[in-house]
Amino acid sequence: MELISIIVPCYNEQEVLPLFYEEIKKVTGQMQNDNKELEFEYLFINDGSKDRTLAMLRDLAAKDKSVRYISFSRNFGKEAGMFAGLENAKGDYVVIMDADLQHPPKFIPKMYDYVKNHGYDCATTRRVSRKGESKIRSWFARKFYSIMNRISQTEIVDGAQDFRFMTRQMVDSILEMKEYNRFSKGIFSWVGFDTKYIEYENVERAAGTTAWSFTSLVKYSLEGIFAFSTAPLAIASVLGVISCLIAFVIIMVVIVKTIAFGEAVQGFPTTVCAIFFIGGLQLFCTGILGQYLSKTYLETKSRPVYIIKETEETKIKRTVNKDL
Ligand code: UDP
Ligand code: MG
Protein backbone atom coordinates (compact mmCIF):
# COMPACT_ATOMS: atom_id res chain seq x y z
CA MET A 1 0.00 0.00 0.00
CA GLU A 2 1.09 3.56 -0.73
CA LEU A 3 -0.30 6.46 1.26
CA ILE A 4 -0.56 9.92 -0.25
CA SER A 5 -1.20 12.76 2.22
CA ILE A 6 -2.93 15.83 0.90
CA ILE A 7 -2.27 18.91 3.03
CA VAL A 8 -4.63 21.85 2.69
CA PRO A 9 -4.11 25.05 4.70
CA CYS A 10 -7.45 26.80 5.15
CA TYR A 11 -8.18 30.30 6.34
CA ASN A 12 -11.80 31.42 6.05
CA GLU A 13 -12.57 28.99 3.24
CA GLN A 14 -16.22 28.12 3.97
CA GLU A 15 -17.28 29.02 0.42
CA VAL A 16 -14.80 26.82 -1.40
CA LEU A 17 -14.32 23.94 1.02
CA PRO A 18 -17.27 21.83 -0.24
CA LEU A 19 -16.25 22.47 -3.86
CA PHE A 20 -12.68 21.55 -3.07
CA TYR A 21 -13.63 18.36 -1.26
CA GLU A 22 -15.82 17.24 -4.12
CA GLU A 23 -13.14 17.95 -6.74
CA ILE A 24 -10.30 16.29 -4.85
CA LYS A 25 -12.41 13.22 -4.11
CA LYS A 26 -13.20 12.88 -7.81
CA VAL A 27 -9.54 12.97 -8.79
CA THR A 28 -8.26 10.71 -6.03
CA GLY A 29 -11.15 8.28 -6.59
CA GLN A 30 -10.08 7.98 -10.21
CA MET A 31 -6.46 7.42 -9.16
CA GLN A 32 -7.55 4.65 -6.80
CA ASN A 33 -9.54 3.02 -9.58
CA ASP A 34 -6.45 2.97 -11.75
CA ASN A 35 -4.14 1.82 -8.99
CA LYS A 36 -5.53 -0.29 -6.17
CA GLU A 37 -2.33 0.16 -4.15
CA LEU A 38 -3.07 3.84 -3.47
CA GLU A 39 -4.52 5.23 -0.30
CA PHE A 40 -5.23 8.86 0.53
CA GLU A 41 -5.46 10.97 3.64
CA TYR A 42 -6.66 14.56 3.61
CA LEU A 43 -5.11 16.76 6.25
CA PHE A 44 -6.82 20.12 6.55
CA ILE A 45 -5.17 22.84 8.62
CA ASN A 46 -7.62 25.36 10.01
CA ASP A 47 -5.50 28.44 10.45
CA GLY A 48 -7.66 30.27 12.97
CA SER A 49 -10.55 30.85 10.57
CA LYS A 50 -13.27 33.19 11.72
CA ASP A 51 -16.03 31.61 9.65
CA ARG A 52 -17.54 28.11 9.61
CA THR A 53 -14.43 26.40 8.22
CA LEU A 54 -13.76 24.47 11.44
CA ALA A 55 -17.36 23.30 11.77
CA MET A 56 -17.23 22.06 8.18
CA LEU A 57 -13.99 20.21 8.85
CA ARG A 58 -15.50 18.55 11.92
CA ASP A 59 -18.39 17.34 9.78
CA LEU A 60 -16.12 16.08 7.03
CA ALA A 61 -13.92 14.21 9.52
CA ALA A 62 -16.97 12.61 11.11
CA LYS A 63 -18.28 11.45 7.72
CA ASP A 64 -15.03 10.48 6.06
CA LYS A 65 -12.38 8.51 7.95
CA SER A 66 -9.64 9.62 5.57
CA VAL A 67 -10.20 13.27 6.54
CA ARG A 68 -8.06 14.61 9.36
CA TYR A 69 -7.80 18.15 10.54
CA ILE A 70 -5.64 20.30 12.76
CA SER A 71 -7.07 23.49 14.12
CA PHE A 72 -4.77 26.25 15.34
CA SER A 73 -5.41 28.38 18.40
CA ARG A 74 -5.26 31.49 16.20
CA ASN A 75 -4.18 32.59 12.73
CA PHE A 76 -0.51 31.68 12.34
CA GLY A 77 -0.24 32.23 8.59
CA LYS A 78 -0.06 29.87 5.63
CA GLU A 79 3.61 29.04 6.21
CA ALA A 80 2.81 27.72 9.69
CA GLY A 81 -0.13 25.81 8.22
CA MET A 82 2.05 24.06 5.67
CA PHE A 83 4.65 23.24 8.30
CA ALA A 84 2.03 21.75 10.62
CA GLY A 85 0.75 19.70 7.68
CA LEU A 86 4.19 18.38 6.81
CA GLU A 87 4.94 17.53 10.44
CA ASN A 88 1.72 15.61 10.88
CA ALA A 89 1.30 13.94 7.49
CA LYS A 90 1.81 10.19 7.54
CA GLY A 91 2.05 9.58 3.80
CA ASP A 92 4.79 8.04 1.69
CA TYR A 93 4.09 10.97 -0.59
CA VAL A 94 2.87 14.37 0.43
CA VAL A 95 0.91 16.94 -1.58
CA ILE A 96 0.48 20.55 -0.46
CA MET A 97 -2.27 22.55 -2.12
CA ASP A 98 -4.56 25.56 -1.62
CA ALA A 99 -8.22 25.13 -0.80
CA ASP A 100 -9.45 27.63 -3.39
CA LEU A 101 -8.95 25.34 -6.44
CA GLN A 102 -6.27 27.66 -7.82
CA HIS A 103 -4.15 24.54 -7.58
CA PRO A 104 -6.18 22.26 -9.85
CA PRO A 105 -6.44 18.72 -8.40
CA LYS A 106 -6.34 17.31 -11.95
CA PHE A 107 -2.55 17.76 -11.89
CA ILE A 108 -2.07 15.29 -9.04
CA PRO A 109 -2.10 12.09 -11.18
CA LYS A 110 0.50 13.67 -13.49
CA MET A 111 2.63 14.72 -10.53
CA TYR A 112 2.40 11.23 -9.05
CA ASP A 113 3.52 9.79 -12.36
CA TYR A 114 6.57 12.09 -12.57
CA VAL A 115 7.66 11.25 -9.04
CA LYS A 116 6.84 7.55 -9.11
CA ASN A 117 7.97 6.64 -12.62
CA HIS A 118 10.38 9.31 -13.81
CA GLY A 119 12.79 9.61 -10.92
CA TYR A 120 11.78 13.07 -9.71
CA ASP A 121 11.65 13.81 -5.97
CA CYS A 122 9.16 16.59 -6.35
CA ALA A 123 6.65 17.77 -8.92
CA THR A 124 5.16 21.23 -8.85
CA THR A 125 3.27 23.63 -11.05
CA ARG A 126 4.59 26.86 -12.47
CA ARG A 127 2.14 29.37 -13.79
CA VAL A 128 3.23 30.90 -17.05
CA SER A 129 0.73 33.73 -16.97
CA ARG A 130 -0.49 35.94 -14.20
CA LYS A 131 -3.94 36.23 -15.71
CA GLY A 132 -6.51 37.71 -13.36
CA GLU A 133 -3.89 39.61 -11.41
CA SER A 134 -3.49 43.38 -11.59
CA LYS A 135 -0.67 44.77 -13.76
CA ILE A 136 1.09 46.50 -10.87
CA ARG A 137 0.94 43.34 -8.79
CA SER A 138 2.52 41.17 -11.50
CA TRP A 139 5.16 43.82 -12.16
CA PHE A 140 6.16 43.85 -8.51
CA ALA A 141 6.11 40.05 -8.40
CA ARG A 142 8.41 39.80 -11.42
CA LYS A 143 10.78 42.42 -9.98
CA PHE A 144 10.86 40.55 -6.69
CA TYR A 145 11.94 37.32 -8.37
CA SER A 146 14.62 38.99 -10.46
CA ILE A 147 16.11 40.84 -7.47
CA MET A 148 15.84 37.80 -5.25
CA ASN A 149 17.66 35.57 -7.71
CA ARG A 150 20.40 38.12 -8.16
CA ILE A 151 21.16 38.49 -4.47
CA SER A 152 20.54 35.01 -3.13
CA GLN A 153 22.26 31.70 -3.86
CA THR A 154 18.97 29.88 -3.39
CA GLU A 155 17.13 29.91 -6.70
CA ILE A 156 13.51 30.96 -6.50
CA VAL A 157 11.62 30.17 -9.69
CA ASP A 158 9.22 32.84 -10.96
CA GLY A 159 5.69 31.52 -10.99
CA ALA A 160 6.55 28.45 -8.90
CA GLN A 161 3.89 27.72 -6.35
CA ASP A 162 3.29 25.98 -3.10
CA PHE A 163 1.37 23.25 -5.00
CA ARG A 164 3.78 20.38 -4.54
CA PHE A 165 3.95 16.63 -4.69
CA MET A 166 6.93 15.37 -2.69
CA THR A 167 8.53 12.16 -1.58
CA ARG A 168 8.78 11.32 2.12
CA GLN A 169 12.55 11.81 1.87
CA MET A 170 12.16 15.42 0.71
CA VAL A 171 9.51 16.13 3.35
CA ASP A 172 11.83 14.85 6.07
CA SER A 173 14.57 17.15 4.80
CA ILE A 174 12.21 20.12 4.90
CA LEU A 175 11.26 19.22 8.45
CA GLU A 176 14.94 19.35 9.37
CA MET A 177 14.73 23.10 8.75
CA LYS A 178 13.33 24.29 11.99
CA GLU A 179 13.54 28.03 11.41
CA TYR A 180 10.82 30.24 12.76
CA ASN A 181 10.75 32.71 9.85
CA ARG A 182 9.64 30.27 7.20
CA PHE A 183 9.70 31.17 3.52
CA SER A 184 8.67 27.93 1.83
CA LYS A 185 9.50 28.96 -1.73
CA GLY A 186 13.09 29.30 -0.54
CA ILE A 187 13.03 26.23 1.66
CA PHE A 188 11.76 23.93 -1.11
CA SER A 189 14.57 25.11 -3.33
CA TRP A 190 17.24 25.12 -0.61
CA VAL A 191 16.81 21.42 0.24
CA GLY A 192 17.59 20.57 -3.37
CA PHE A 193 16.30 17.31 -4.95
CA ASP A 194 15.06 16.98 -8.53
CA THR A 195 11.99 19.03 -9.20
CA LYS A 196 9.71 18.76 -12.22
CA TYR A 197 7.91 21.99 -13.16
CA ILE A 198 4.59 21.53 -14.91
CA GLU A 199 3.55 24.74 -16.65
CA TYR A 200 -0.02 25.95 -16.68
CA GLU A 201 -2.18 29.05 -17.10
CA ASN A 202 -3.20 30.81 -13.92
CA VAL A 203 -6.72 30.06 -12.71
CA GLU A 204 -8.77 32.34 -10.57
CA ARG A 205 -10.03 31.49 -7.09
CA ALA A 206 -13.21 29.36 -7.22
CA ALA A 207 -14.97 31.40 -4.50
CA GLY A 208 -14.21 33.51 -1.46
CA THR A 209 -11.54 36.19 -1.42
CA THR A 210 -7.78 36.11 -1.21
CA ALA A 211 -6.31 36.72 2.23
CA TRP A 212 -3.32 38.50 0.70
CA SER A 213 -3.42 42.26 0.49
CA PHE A 214 -0.79 44.16 -1.46
CA THR A 215 1.03 45.13 1.74
CA SER A 216 1.05 41.55 3.00
CA LEU A 217 2.63 40.48 -0.31
CA VAL A 218 5.31 43.15 0.05
CA LYS A 219 5.97 41.96 3.60
CA TYR A 220 6.16 38.37 2.37
CA SER A 221 8.71 39.35 -0.32
CA LEU A 222 10.88 41.13 2.23
CA GLU A 223 10.57 38.07 4.46
CA GLY A 224 11.94 36.02 1.57
CA ILE A 225 14.84 38.37 0.98
CA PHE A 226 15.83 38.59 4.63
CA ALA A 227 15.47 34.83 5.13
CA PHE A 228 17.48 33.75 2.11
CA SER A 229 19.99 36.49 1.43
CA THR A 230 22.43 38.54 3.43
CA ALA A 231 23.06 40.84 0.47
CA PRO A 232 21.20 43.78 2.08
CA LEU A 233 23.83 43.74 4.83
CA ALA A 234 26.44 44.21 2.13
CA ILE A 235 24.39 47.05 0.60
CA ALA A 236 24.69 48.77 3.97
CA SER A 237 28.49 48.61 3.94
CA VAL A 238 28.73 49.66 0.28
CA LEU A 239 26.47 52.66 0.90
CA GLY A 240 28.53 53.52 3.95
CA VAL A 241 31.75 53.55 1.90
CA ILE A 242 30.17 55.63 -0.87
CA SER A 243 28.85 58.17 1.61
CA CYS A 244 32.26 58.42 3.27
CA LEU A 245 33.85 59.11 -0.13
CA ILE A 246 31.29 61.81 -0.92
CA ALA A 247 31.78 63.33 2.51
CA PHE A 248 35.57 63.32 1.94
CA VAL A 249 35.14 65.21 -1.35
CA ILE A 250 32.85 67.74 0.33
CA ILE A 251 35.38 68.26 3.15
CA MET A 252 38.15 68.84 0.61
CA VAL A 253 36.03 71.39 -1.26
CA VAL A 254 35.19 73.17 1.98
CA ILE A 255 38.85 73.31 3.11
CA VAL A 256 40.04 74.62 -0.27
CA LYS A 257 37.24 77.17 -0.34
CA THR A 258 38.04 78.36 3.17
CA ILE A 259 41.73 78.73 2.36
CA ALA A 260 41.03 80.58 -0.89
CA PHE A 261 38.10 82.81 0.07
CA GLY A 262 38.15 82.85 3.87
CA GLU A 263 35.43 81.64 6.12
CA ALA A 264 31.90 82.57 5.16
CA VAL A 265 28.40 81.61 6.22
CA GLN A 266 27.94 80.58 2.61
CA GLY A 267 28.99 77.02 3.42
CA PHE A 268 25.82 76.51 5.39
CA PRO A 269 23.87 74.68 2.61
CA THR A 270 26.72 72.22 2.09
CA THR A 271 26.74 71.40 5.78
CA VAL A 272 23.04 70.83 5.87
CA CYS A 273 23.21 68.63 2.76
CA ALA A 274 26.02 66.60 4.22
CA ILE A 275 24.26 66.12 7.55
CA PHE A 276 21.09 64.97 5.84
CA PHE A 277 22.90 62.70 3.45
CA ILE A 278 24.97 60.94 6.08
CA GLY A 279 22.09 60.87 8.53
CA GLY A 280 19.84 59.26 5.95
CA LEU A 281 22.38 56.63 5.01
CA GLN A 282 23.00 55.80 8.63
CA LEU A 283 19.33 55.32 9.35
CA PHE A 284 18.94 53.22 6.20
CA CYS A 285 21.80 50.94 7.18
CA THR A 286 20.69 50.70 10.77
CA GLY A 287 17.29 49.68 9.46
CA ILE A 288 18.80 46.81 7.49
CA LEU A 289 20.78 45.68 10.52
CA GLY A 290 17.60 45.94 12.56
CA GLN A 291 15.78 43.61 10.18
CA TYR A 292 18.35 40.86 10.57
CA LEU A 293 18.59 41.47 14.28
CA SER A 294 14.85 41.14 14.70
CA LYS A 295 14.86 37.87 12.74
CA THR A 296 17.72 36.55 14.86
CA TYR A 297 15.85 37.66 17.95
CA LEU A 298 12.78 35.67 16.97
CA GLU A 299 14.86 32.63 16.01
CA THR A 300 16.72 32.59 19.33
CA LYS A 301 13.45 32.54 21.22
CA SER A 302 12.68 29.29 19.34
CA ARG A 303 8.98 29.69 19.73
CA PRO A 304 6.74 27.03 18.24
CA VAL A 305 5.74 27.80 14.65
CA TYR A 306 2.10 26.99 15.49
CA ILE A 307 -0.11 25.90 18.38
CA ILE A 308 -2.75 23.22 17.97
CA LYS A 309 -6.07 23.68 19.71
CA GLU A 310 -8.01 20.77 18.30
CA THR A 311 -7.65 17.83 15.90
CA GLU A 312 -10.08 15.18 14.73
CA GLU A 313 -8.75 12.91 17.48
CA THR A 314 -8.93 15.39 20.33
CA LYS A 315 -12.19 16.96 19.28
CA ILE A 316 -13.20 19.13 22.17
CA LYS A 317 -15.97 17.44 24.09
CA ARG A 318 -17.53 20.57 25.60
CA THR A 319 -20.24 22.34 23.67
CA VAL A 320 -18.81 23.72 20.49
CA ASN A 321 -19.17 27.40 19.74
CA LYS A 322 -22.20 27.63 17.47
CA ASP A 323 -20.85 30.71 15.72
CA LEU A 324 -17.81 28.91 14.38
N1 UDP B 1 -4.16 30.60 4.03
C1 UDP B 1 -3.86 30.19 5.33
N2 UDP B 1 -3.55 31.13 6.28
C2 UDP B 1 -3.53 32.48 6.00
C3 UDP B 1 -3.81 32.87 4.67
C4 UDP B 1 -4.11 31.91 3.71
O1 UDP B 1 -3.87 29.00 5.63
O2 UDP B 1 -3.27 33.26 6.91
C5 UDP B 1 -4.50 29.58 3.00
C6 UDP B 1 -5.79 29.82 2.25
O3 UDP B 1 -6.89 29.27 2.93
C7 UDP B 1 -5.55 29.13 0.92
C8 UDP B 1 -4.05 29.32 0.73
O4 UDP B 1 -3.50 29.63 2.01
O5 UDP B 1 -5.83 27.75 0.98
C9 UDP B 1 -3.74 30.42 -0.25
O6 UDP B 1 -4.38 31.61 0.14
P1 UDP B 1 -5.02 32.63 -0.89
O7 UDP B 1 -5.83 31.91 -1.92
O8 UDP B 1 -5.71 33.66 -0.07
O9 UDP B 1 -3.70 33.24 -1.54
P2 UDP B 1 -3.40 33.51 -3.09
O10 UDP B 1 -3.91 32.34 -3.86
O11 UDP B 1 -4.10 34.76 -3.42
O12 UDP B 1 -1.91 33.61 -3.12
MG1 MG C 1 -5.62 31.52 -3.86
Side-chain angles (χ1 to χ4, degrees), residues 13 98 100 102-103 205 210 212:
E13 297 289 10
D98 286 0
D100 57 10
Q102 272 185 313
H103 296 164
R205 205 172 222 294
T210 172
W212 293 91

Coordinates of all heavy atoms in Angstrom, one line a residue, residues 13 98 100 102-103 205 210 212, ligand 2:
E13 N -12.3 29.6 4.5 CA -12.6 29.0 3.2 C -13.9 28.3 3.2 O -14.1 27.4 2.4 CB -11.5 28.0 2.9 CG -10.1 28.6 2.7 CD -9.9 29.4 1.5 OE1 -10.9 29.7 0.8 OE2 -8.7 29.8 1.2
D98 N -3.6 24.6 -2.2 CA -4.6 25.6 -1.6 C -6.0 25.0 -1.7 O -6.3 24.2 -2.5 CB -4.5 26.9 -2.4 CG -3.3 27.7 -2.2 OD1 -2.4 27.2 -1.3 OD2 -3.1 28.7 -2.8
D100 N -8.6 26.8 -2.5 CA -9.5 27.6 -3.4 C -9.5 27.1 -4.8 O -10.0 27.9 -5.7 CB -9.0 29.1 -3.3 CG -7.6 29.3 -3.7 OD1 -7.0 28.3 -4.2 OD2 -7.1 30.4 -3.6
Q102 N -7.2 27.0 -6.9 CA -6.3 27.7 -7.8 C -5.2 26.7 -8.1 O -4.4 26.9 -9.0 CB -5.7 28.9 -7.2 CG -6.5 30.1 -7.4 CD -5.9 31.4 -6.9 OE1 -5.4 31.4 -5.7 NE2 -5.8 32.4 -7.7
H103 N -5.1 25.6 -7.3 CA -4.2 24.5 -7.6 C -5.0 23.4 -8.0 O -5.5 22.6 -7.2 CB -3.4 24.2 -6.3 CG -2.5 25.3 -5.8 ND1 -2.0 25.3 -4.5 CD2 -2.0 26.4 -6.4 CE1 -1.2 26.4 -4.4 NE2 -1.3 27.1 -5.5
R205 N -9.4 32.1 -8.3 CA -10.0 31.5 -7.1 C -11.5 31.1 -7.4 O -12.2 31.8 -8.0 CB -10.0 32.6 -6.1 CG -10.1 32.3 -4.7 CD -9.9 33.5 -3.9 NE -9.0 33.2 -2.8 CZ -9.3 32.4 -1.8 NH1 -10.5 31.8 -1.8 NH2 -8.4 32.1 -0.9
T210 N -9.1 36.4 -1.6 CA -7.8 36.1 -1.2 C -7.5 36.8 0.1 O -8.0 37.9 0.4 CB -6.8 36.6 -2.3 OG1 -5.5 36.4 -1.7 CG2 -7.0 38.0 -2.7
W212 N -4.5 37.7 0.9 CA -3.3 38.5 0.7 C -3.6 39.9 0.2 O -4.1 40.0 -0.9 CB -2.4 37.8 -0.3 CG -1.9 36.5 0.2 CD1 -2.4 35.3 0.0 CD2 -0.7 36.3 0.9 NE1 -1.7 34.3 0.6 CE2 -0.6 34.9 1.1 CE3 0.3 37.1 1.4 CZ2 0.5 34.4 1.8 CZ3 1.4 36.6 2.1 CH2 1.5 35.2 2.3
Ligands
MG2 MG -5.6 31.5 -3.9

